[in-house]
Amino acid sequence: MTTTRIKGFADIFPPMSDIFTHMENVAREVFARCGFVELRTPLLEFTDLFQRSIGEETDVVQKEMYTFPDRKGRLLTLRPEATAGVMRAYIESGLANRESVSRLFTTGPMFRHERPQKGRMRQFHQINCECLGSQSPLADAELINMLLLFLDKLGINDVILHINSLGCSTCRQSYKSALQEYLRGKTADLLCEDCVRRMETNPLRVLDCKQQGCRDITAQAPKLLDYNCPECRTHFQTVLRLLRERGLNYELDHRLVRGLDYYCRTTFEVVSNSIGAQAAVAGGGRYDGLIKLLGGPDVPGVGFACGMERLALILSNVHQHQLLFYLIAMDQTSREQGWLLTQKLRDGGLTGEMNFSESGFKGLMRQAGKSGAKYCLILGPDEALQHNVVIKNLVSGKQECVPQKDALQYLLKEIHSND
RNA sequence: GCGGAAGUAGCUCAGUUGGCAGAGCACCUGGUUGUGGCCCAGGUGGCCGUGGGUUCAAGUCCCACCUUUCGCCCCA
């Protein structure tokens, strides 16, 4: 029996690994411009952290976490999302005492024990951004703007921004009661089994049920926005106005409630219609009470998470790494000379590869053509004797024999003249 | 966790009422003694997902499991 991957855990090879690297590079560039700094937090945390932040009643906590005891019997959990760990680090380091607003981003793997599916792995990767310390709607708008800018830089623009406001804890509470009252007024058999239960435990989740019967009922239900208090309403209207003035399109989505308990006020989601059922590419919102809930200062926050596997599904323009030269050699002496030459060209900043095999010349040339390199460097007994090398442009077919010591200069000049 | 579909060469897949394991692409070699891509000829490559069962005989029929996939639930 051979060893295999764990179900839902993927080996990421090129070109997929190149796409991941590219996404991270673009993210760093965009986020840095907005003043975000990178924070790397552990993959393992005490289970308690996630239970308290994500919410005991959520599906993530109840059935999707990888939880196990350490050698002293304490319960540890592989992080199912990033925000909780970032909050813990923020509190533990006392960052709030050193700066009034912290802009943090983090990337890396997350773990959820779900049934794998297209766009959903048990180990998956996220890019996360959190802005802590500002309750201003400008912060909400900045994050959404930055997220869309990031996607745009990746060449992704056929996505839709869904947005809604849950209100603060007080107006949310009054909405909850109103919704429950509305739902109880309906005959129970119109709702699906899950929603009958949710109606009591977490009525907001009835809103985003996909069953047609439930949708019909909730279409006429009271709307969250109508129950927002004046402060929440002003906050949300400002966010929307800023988005409009930036020329960013959005769709008000009264059903968007999201599954983690800590969200309040602004919530948003970016969806794509080209990657199947798991369509949410990124999601986030405001979580003003969370840091206090975890034992920290009463600092507001807003953030988002972006799913890298799902982004990668959308990315069509594959970012391939491109070789400039490909060196082939025909016997032991020229192979060793060629190996040294390859290292020197790399020292000079050029990207290239050498073929080590003892194949026939035709095979070597075929490999060179297949490599996608622009130049083929050829070394045989004749060249080795004279310390020369043949440099062939594989696009134009033009070739020239030059001293090995001049090869770097020759190639640099060639690149330059073609620009 | 629940429901549908699929698993045969590196990849995409054919394989008839159960009867010798196939094609295209890719790869390697040669046509061209040291010049790639196009063309031509040849070649390598398979525990037919795994384990049981039925049968003279199973890629094919039956059962279980594993994996993938499309949905549900939920989420990135």
Side-chain angles (χ1 to χ4, degrees):
Chain A
M1 196 57 177
T2 52
T3 358
T4 60
R5 303 183 331 258
I6 301 172
K7 179 174 178 168
F9 288 63
D11 299 312
I12 303 173
F13 284 91
M16 202 46 104
S17 51
D18 291 329
I19 293 178
F20 271 63
T21 305
H22 181 236
M23 284 191 287
E24 287 177 349
N25 290 342
V26 172
R28 288 202 165 81
E29 186 191 320
V30 172
F31 299 166
R33 193 184 305 165
C34 298
F36 280 71
V37 297
E38 183 168 9
L39 170 67
R40 295 179 186 245
T41 65
L43 304 191
L44 265 182
E45 299 274 4
F46 288 117
T47 302
D48 171 65
L49 171 67
F50 300 116
Q51 289 173 335
R52 286 204 288 158
S53 63
I54 298 171
E56 198 69 63
E57 296 306 313
T58 58
D59 283 354
V60 170
V61 168
Q62 289 206 337
K63 46 187 198 192
E64 296 174 1
M65 297 205 301
Y66 279 92
T67 297
F68 44 84
D70 70 3
R71 293 182 181 214
K72 290 185 175 171
R74 296 172 297 198
L75 279 184
L76 307 180
T77 294
L78 280 165
R79 63 180 186 193
E81 56 103 48
T83 302
V86 173
M87 295 308 110
R88 198 224 73 242
Y90 176 81
I91 296 166
E92 200 171 339
S93 67
L95 198 51
N97 299 324
R98 279 174 280 145
E99 55 188 27
S100 57
V101 175
S102 299
R103 292 183 169 86
L104 306 170
F105 78 91
T106 187
T107 76
M110 309 294 156
F111 305 84
R112 290 183 199 172
H113 193 107
E114 300 179 89
R115 177 90 168 245
Q117 185 177 328
K118 182 179 178 185
R120 185 169 71 193
M121 294 282 117
R122 288 183 174 178
Q123 174 175 329
F124 61 104
H125 299 78
Q126 284 189 339
I127 297 176
N128 266 262
C129 287
E130 322 283 352
C131 177
L132 308 175
S134 172
Q135 56 178 359
S136 168
L138 300 176
D140 306 40
E142 177 179 78
L143 266 167
I144 294 171
N145 177 60
M146 188 172 81
L147 171 59
L148 294 175
L149 181 64
F150 165 57
L151 296 177
D152 187 65
K153 286 261 179 185
L154 287 174
I156 297 174
N157 38 36
D158 61 334
V159 289
I160 302 160
L161 170 67
H162 289 248
I163 191 165
N164 193 19
S165 175
L166 299 178
C168 58
S169 53
T170 41
C171 43
R172 190 163 157 185
Q173 195 52 51
S174 62
Y175 173 74
K176 233 182 214 175
S177 317
L179 180 62
Q180 269 174 334
E181 201 169 313
Y182 170 83
L183 292 173
R184 285 182 186 130
K186 299 288 164 186
T187 47
D189 56 341
L190 292 177
L191 287 171
C192 72
E193 209 176 301
D194 287 328
C195 284
V196 171
R197 178 176 45 78
R198 280 192 280 238
M199 192 167 88
E200 300 304 329
T201 58
N202 196 349
L204 292 192
R205 295 224 61 87
V206 179
L207 289 179
D208 66 353
C209 182
K210 289 181 188 90
Q211 302 281 330
Q212 194 53 49
C214 302
R215 294 195 77 93
D216 290 345
I217 287 177
T218 50
Q220 303 301 322
K223 291 187 165 58
L224 266 162
L225 290 183
D226 296 333
Y227 283 77
N228 274 8
C229 64
E231 290 77 15
C232 286
R233 195 168 304 195
T234 308
H235 182 98
F236 191 51
Q237 290 309 324
T238 308
V239 173
L240 296 184
R241 189 168 60 249
L242 289 166
L243 294 179
R244 282 197 302 273
E245 287 174 7
R246 273 290 286 170
L248 301 172
N249 296 321
Y250 58 82
E251 275 182 23
L252 274 184
D253 185 346
H254 298 290
R255 297 175 184 274
L256 180 63
V257 297
R258 304 187 52 73
L260 310 181
D261 280 358
Y262 53 63
Y263 286 115
C264 65
R265 290 197 163 170
T266 315
T267 59
F268 55 92
E269 221 170 73
V270 174
V271 301
S272 162
N273 51 22
S274 63
I275 56 173
Q278 306 307 318
V281 166
R286 183 161 274 284
Y287 43 82
D288 286 346
L290 180 59
I291 296 171
K292 191 177 182 191
L293 176 78
L294 293 174
D298 191 3
V299 170
V302 53
F304 67 78
C306 196
M308 295 182 73
E309 279 79 2
R310 293 183 189 177
L311 282 186
L313 285 174
I314 304 177
L315 282 181
S316 49
N317 44 350
V318 177
H319 196 75
Q320 297 254 21
H321 70 278
Q322 178 85 41
L323 297 178
L324 180 79
F325 70 88
Y326 190 91
L327 189 146
I328 62 178
M330 298 165 66
D331 65 339
Q332 190 56 25
T333 309
S334 50
R335 267 194 291 276
E336 290 186 15
Q337 272 188 24
W339 185 85
L340 288 166
L341 179 57
T342 299
Q343 310 317 322
K344 279 184 194 155
L345 294 176
R346 289 172 177 166
D347 290 345
L350 302 185
T351 303
E353 218 175 278
M354 173 184 174
N355 188 305
F356 299 147
S357 77
E358 299 178 17
S359 322
F361 189 69
K362 189 188 176 91
L364 290 171
M365 278 307 294
R366 246 205 286 267
Q367 294 294 327
K370 212 181 63 174
S371 75
K374 187 161 182 198
Y375 296 94
C376 179
L377 273 56
I378 304 166
L379 271 171
D382 300 346
E383 288 81 10
L385 203 63
Q386 310 287 327
H387 291 275
N388 287 338
V389 60
V390 171
I391 299 180
K392 174 168 183 168
N393 183 322
L394 288 172
V395 182
S396 67
K398 184 186 81 173
Q399 72 178 45
E400 217 167 324
C401 186
V402 304
Q404 285 175 29
K405 62 179 170 49
D406 297 339
L408 177 61
Q409 280 310 315
Y410 178 90
L411 284 168
L412 287 173
K413 197 184 283 179
E414 278 283 317
I415 309 168
H416 221 67
S417 68
N418 285 338
D419 274 347

